[in-house]
Amino acid sequence: MRLVPCIAAVFALVVSSCVSADVIVLKNGNRIVGMNATADGDRVTYQTSAGQLSIPKAIVARIEHDDFSFSSADGAGIAPPVSAPQIEPATGYEAIAQKTIHDGGVDYAYIESLESEARTGAPGATNKVAAACYAAAQFFLAKGDSASAIQQYRQGLEFAPHNFGLLMNLAVLYLRESQFTEALNPLQQAREIAPDSADVYKLMGWAYYGADKTAEAIDAWKQAIKLRPDPDVIEALKKAERDQALESSYREGETAHFDLKYYGGAAPELARGILGALENDYNDLQSQLDYTPPEQIAVILYTGQAFADITRAPSWVGALNDGRIRIPVEGLTSVTPELARELKHELTHSFVGQKTHYRAPTWLQEGMAQWMEGRRSSSDAAYLVDAAGRGALPSLAALDGSWIGFTGDNASVAYAWSLAVIESIIARGGLGDINRLLDAMASAPSPQVAVLQALNMSYDELQQQAVDYLNHAYLNN
Ligand SMILES: [Zn+2]
């Protein structure tokens, strides 16, 4: 039984969904970047654009999962182009942190006493303020309150404007919130303090790339590699250079919320039509998801060959979203109903990715994208209920992470099941519940905890709710 009408679309969606970059650190110090690295027997396997590769476990020191994933198998929806470096807090941090955070809260009186001390010009006092504000920011981040964390970093910087750790951590926070232009301010200050820091240039590249300034991103990442070779940055640089190689021949179109690039061969009417459709979709998603992406979203239209060259995606891939929405439009002259659905689907991934700080599990990403494009479970309900009865449906936990290794059939079921789960949440609690869930995903330690916090349900209960919903809504049971 085919649950999704177009098998090519299935694979396209699979590729679009989940990219979780891991770093495999070898005992000789070399680092390999791959996706979904897992230890399996005496081998470590990982995905690359060239397919699955494996190396002997004996030569591996450790696997570092990027800090946007919850665990080895977790995809991160739309992943950032590079991972965030760990920035050490100020010296003497532990003692100050203990005085700043205690009894489940921030001791503002203590922070104020440090600030008063700093105002007298006491030596070392500004560093104490920096450490206390850093500790308070960590406290708020753990609660998922990014706005208060940003406030703490900024307050610390008022007293210690040259504190590298505060500047870098503030920049990382802005980047996670997709506030790319905002992130450039602290990064430029950090560069003045530490002109030889590879981490500063790594993050600058991320900021420029996110702001759709490819040439500046390439310059920054080249500088980062010159200062310290980093496979993570090398990968990002290659991708940016592939983008740039064809950008010179692209024409551009811009609206309030989108920056569209398209190959000269595409019809300008098509580009205008796509921008118009995307603007409508944007307004719709903005009100439904109660979220406004802070920056313009980059969209690139390709001829078939250019799409294959740049994305290095297999030939059966349709559109994809890796932070930029990339759509092959070969042979199209207007926005067909199918293209319209694809645009809404991919734009939903951008909204869900940014709103959850790239932490949405794949079932949530794909369930939401299908729901927003207008797909419903009617034709799949009987199959899903029957499969649930036979214990043949995948658990949601198995759909948290990457779907890249799924067969076409498994992917079809994964899409249909994810949509049913989303439908059941909306049927019970409306988009209010969805938005609570998306907000919880941004900060909870795992997707299961987020579901518990937002919906007061375990994964098992959510799965049962979805089956009950299918029975009631479509099968008169
Ligand atoms: Zn998708």
Side-chain angles (χ1 to χ4, degrees):
M1 161 164 196
R2 275 262 291 280
L3 290 164
V4 179
C6 168
I7 203 73
V10 170
F11 284 109
L13 304 174
V14 171
V15 169
S16 72
S17 61
C18 28
V19 182
S20 152
D22 298 325
V23 178
I24 303 165
V25 182
L26 303 184
K27 286 177 179 164
N28 67 9
N30 286 350
R31 297 154 73 87
I32 297 170
V33 177
M35 286 179 291
N36 304 312
T38 46
D40 199 3
D42 59 354
R43 311 281 297 175
V44 169
T45 60
Y46 56 100
Q47 301 288 338
T48 71
S49 55
Q52 191 180 53
L53 299 176
S54 78
I55 50 175
K57 205 156 133 188
I59 65 167
V60 174
R62 64 181 186 280
I63 301 173
E64 292 173 356
H65 300 295
D66 86 41
D67 57 356
F68 294 90
S69 333
F70 300 109
S71 69
S72 62
D74 282 346
I78 305 145
V82 292
S83 59
Q86 278 294 334
I87 306 297
E88 298 296 324
T91 46
Y93 168 72
E94 283 303 326
I96 290 171
Q98 277 170 19
K99 289 183 189 163
T100 307
I101 309 296
H102 55 84
D103 302 314
V106 176
D107 187 339
Y108 290 104
Y110 174 66
I111 298 181
E112 270 173 38
S113 74
L114 293 179
E115 289 175 355
S116 302
E117 197 186 329
R119 283 193 197 96
T120 67
T126 56
N127 278 339
K128 286 189 199 165
V129 175
C133 289
Y134 178 87
Q138 302 315 300
F139 172 79
F140 287 119
L141 282 177
K143 287 172 134 7
D145 184 352
S146 302
S148 296
I150 285 174
Q151 173 61 28
Q152 287 298 325
Y153 285 140
R154 297 179 69 108
Q155 192 177 334
L157 284 166
E158 276 179 31
F159 288 85
H162 304 299
N163 186 289
F164 185 72
L166 288 181
L167 289 167
M168 292 293 276
N169 280 289
L170 177 60
V172 168
L173 201 46
Y174 280 135
L175 290 170
R176 286 188 178 156
E177 298 233 308
S178 304
Q179 297 188 49
F180 304 112
T181 311
E182 201 68 57
L184 282 168
N185 286 322
L187 287 173
Q188 272 149 2
Q189 290 170 50
R191 183 173 56 184
E192 281 173 28
I193 296 159
D196 293 332
S197 164
D199 286 332
V200 170
Y201 285 101
K202 179 179 184 175
L203 294 184
M204 277 189 147
W206 179 356
Y208 282 125
Y209 190 74
D212 202 21
K213 294 189 162 70
T214 310
E216 287 90 337
I218 287 172
D219 287 346
W221 280 333
K222 277 185 177 163
Q223 190 62 27
I225 292 167
K226 209 186 284 176
L227 291 163
R228 187 190 65 214
D230 179 340
D232 195 16
V233 177
I234 290 169
E235 272 306 303
L237 175 63
K238 276 189 201 155
K239 189 169 171 188
E241 285 178 332
R242 288 200 295 271
D243 275 346
Q244 195 189 36
L246 282 181
E247 258 178 21
S248 54
S249 56
Y250 280 118
R251 296 201 231 168
E252 288 197 56
E254 199 174 15
T255 59
H257 303 117
F258 296 95
D259 177 21
L260 177 84
K261 293 190 172 71
Y262 62 102
Y263 197 59
E269 310 85 74
L270 175 64
R272 275 197 297 276
I274 285 174
L275 278 175
L278 282 170
E279 277 296 333
N280 284 337
D281 292 342
Y282 186 103
N283 290 334
D284 184 43
L285 289 168
Q286 189 180 29
S287 66
Q288 296 214 65
L289 297 181
D290 191 22
Y291 178 74
T292 303
E295 310 231 353
Q296 272 189 332
I297 294 170
V299 183
I300 310 174
L301 310 183
Y302 298 97
T303 62
Q305 188 54 46
F307 182 76
D309 289 347
I310 289 189
T311 62
R312 302 289 162 98
S315 55
W316 35 257
V317 164
L320 64 81
N321 184 334
D322 57 5
R324 297 176 177 194
I325 297 177
R326 301 172 190 270
I327 307 166
V329 292
E330 184 91 63
L332 292 177
T333 53
S334 64
V335 180
T336 60
E338 195 191 343
L339 176 58
R341 291 169 77 105
E342 205 159 15
L343 293 171
K344 186 80 175 274
H345 182 110
E346 297 302 335
L347 186 58
T348 305
H349 282 320
S350 295
F351 271 73
V352 171
Q354 292 192 23
K355 188 173 159 95
T356 61
H357 299 177
Y358 311 103
R359 302 184 81 171
T362 306
W363 61 264
L364 179 58
Q365 269 285 12
E366 296 303 343
M368 283 304 297
Q370 292 176 91
W371 195 86
M372 287 296 178
E373 67 164 280
R375 204 179 286 280
R376 294 295 179 267
S377 296
S378 46
S379 61
D380 300 331
Y383 171 83
L384 289 170
V385 168
D386 178 62
R390 290 183 283 114
L393 284 182
S395 70
L396 278 187
L399 303 182
D400 276 350
S402 170
W403 297 4
I404 279 174
F406 289 9
T407 63
D409 283 350
N410 285 347
S412 297
V413 175
Y415 276 98
W417 184 213
S418 297
L419 175 60
V421 170
I422 296 302
E423 269 189 61
S424 79
I425 295 171
I426 293 171
R428 193 187 78 150
L431 283 166
D433 272 9
I434 289 290
N435 284 322
R436 253 196 308 287
L437 181 58
L438 295 177
D439 287 339
M441 287 292 172
S443 59
S446 76
Q448 303 214 26
V449 171
V451 165
L452 200 58
Q453 285 174 352
L455 307 178
N456 199 22
M457 261 188 235
S458 67
Y459 263 23
D460 282 347
E461 287 165 336
L462 179 54
Q463 287 164 196
Q464 189 56 51
Q465 171 185 281
V467 174
D468 292 344
Y469 161 79
L470 290 170
N471 266 315
H472 286 298
Y474 297 110
L475 303 171
N476 299 319
N477 288 329

